[in-house]
Amino acid sequence: MILTKTPTTDKQRAEHFHLVSIRFACLLTTKQDPMDCERVALRVAKLERQLMHSNPSQLFSSQFENQAGELGDNLAMRYNHHSGRITIWRNTPLHQSGKVFQLRASI
C-alpha cells in the first residue's frame, strides 16, 4: 500500500497528503459507496487537480494507474490517466466493515 511508504520527493509528499485525506474521509463516511459522500468527492477532486497540474509520481502510477490499488483496509482506488478521473470503492459491504454507529436515543 502506498500509504505505508515514506514519500521521498515533493510530488510524492503532495500525493501522500491527498491520499491520507481521502482515506480518512472514506473511513468517516456512512455511505456504502464512498464516492456518494460529498467530503470524499471534494478531496478526490483536489487530488485530480494535483495530478492534472503535475503528472503522477512513478510510485502513484505503479499503484493506481489503470488498476485497482489499496487505499486502506477494504478500500480500493483506481486512477484513469486518460480521463484524469479517480474512482474509489469498498471491497466489502458496509455492514461487514466493522463500522460503529451512534444509536439514536429513544425517549
Side-chain angles (χ1 to χ4, degrees), residues 33-45:
D33 183 2
M35 295 298 288
D36 290 340
C37 177
E38 184 179 339
R39 180 183 293 149
V40 173
L42 289 172
R43 293 177 184 189
V44 165

Side-chain angles (χ1 to χ4, degrees), residues 1-60:
M1 181 170 72
I2 195 170
L3 295 174
T4 60
K5 298 182 177 161
T6 304
T8 56
T9 66
D10 290 339
K11 191 181 287 191
Q12 288 176 353
R13 279 188 278 280
E15 292 166 354
H16 187 268
F17 170 79
H18 289 296
L19 290 171
V20 169
S21 176
I22 291 169
R23 181 173 181 221
F24 280 114
C26 290
L27 292 174
L28 292 174
T29 188
T30 57
K31 301 197 181 281
Q32 176 63 30
D33 183 2
M35 295 298 288
D36 290 340
C37 177
E38 184 179 339
R39 180 183 293 149
V40 173
L42 289 172
R43 293 177 184 189
V44 165
K46 287 181 182 180
L47 178 57
E48 287 173 343
R49 281 193 301 273
Q50 165 73 25
L51 296 173
M52 187 184 324
H53 293 302
S54 63
N55 290 327
S57 65
Q58 280 187 323
L59 182 60
F60 185 90

